Amino acid sequence: MDRPIRVLVSKPGLDGHDRGAKVIARALRDAGMEVIYTGLRQTPQQIVAAAIQEDVDVVAMSILSGAHNHLFPKVMELLNEQGADDVLVIGGGVIPDEDIPGLKKAGIAEIFTPGTTTGTTIDFIRKNVKRVQ
C-alpha cells in the first residue's frame, strides 16, 4: 500500500523563529506529504527520537541561530547510530555558502537558503526520498 511521504519538520537549537519552518511545513502538506512539526528548541536527540517514532522518510531542519555546523551533523550521527540512515535529511535557514560543503559531507542531502522556493524543496524531496514508494 502506497502512503504519502512523511516529513518531520524541526527547529534544532535555541532560536525562537519558526516562520520559515511553518511555511515549508504548510507547503509540504499542501503538496500531499504528511508533516509532523516538532516545535521550537529541539535537541538533536529529540529530533531523532521523533523521526524514528513517527517512521518518517525525511527530516527537514530549519535554523537561524548559526549552530548548524554543530546541530545538523549531530542529528546525522544519531540517525546513523539508530540505524535510520535511510532517512533523507535536509536543512534550511540562514547558512553561509562556505558552510554548505561541510554539511553535505556530514550527510545533509541539501541545504536551502533564503530565496529558495517551496517548489524547489518539494521537488528535491520527491526526487531524493530513499524509501520504496
Side-chain angles (χ1 to χ4, degrees):
M1 182 173 175
D2 200 16
R3 65 170 173 82
I5 296 170
R6 292 176 59 88
V7 183
L8 183 79
V9 175
S10 62
K11 287 287 300 176
L14 299 176
D15 74 60
H17 303 279
D18 63 351
R19 175 178 273 179
K22 288 179 177 176
V23 167
I24 196 65
R26 178 172 289 208
L28 297 176
R29 183 203 64 192
D30 290 350
M33 298 180 197
E34 290 184 5
V35 178
I36 300 106
Y37 177 50
T38 63
L40 295 169
R41 300 183 183 93
Q42 299 295 298
T43 66
Q45 291 81 6
Q46 289 171 315
I47 293 167
V48 169
I52 291 171
Q53 180 179 348
E54 297 291 342
D55 191 26
V56 297
D57 305 297
V58 181
V59 171
M61 297 181 283
S62 171
I63 197 164
L64 297 174
S65 68
H68 51 272
N69 283 332
H70 172 70
L71 296 172
F72 286 5
K74 185 65 178 176
V75 168
M76 289 303 307
E77 177 187 323
L78 293 171
L79 283 170
N80 289 332
E81 286 177 8
Q82 295 292 319
D85 54 352
D86 60 336
V87 175
L88 179 69
V89 180
I90 60 174
V94 180
I95 297 172
D97 289 343
E98 61 267 22
D99 292 348
I100 293 173
L103 293 170
K104 287 186 175 182
K105 186 175 180 181
I108 309 301
E110 189 59 85
I111 300 294
F112 300 101
T113 55
T116 302
T117 67
T118 54
T120 299
T121 304
I122 291 165
D123 290 344
F124 183 85
I125 289 171
R126 285 184 174 147
K127 290 177 184 167
N128 292 284
V129 69
K130 297 175 184 172
R131 71 178 172 92
V132 176
Q133 294 189 39

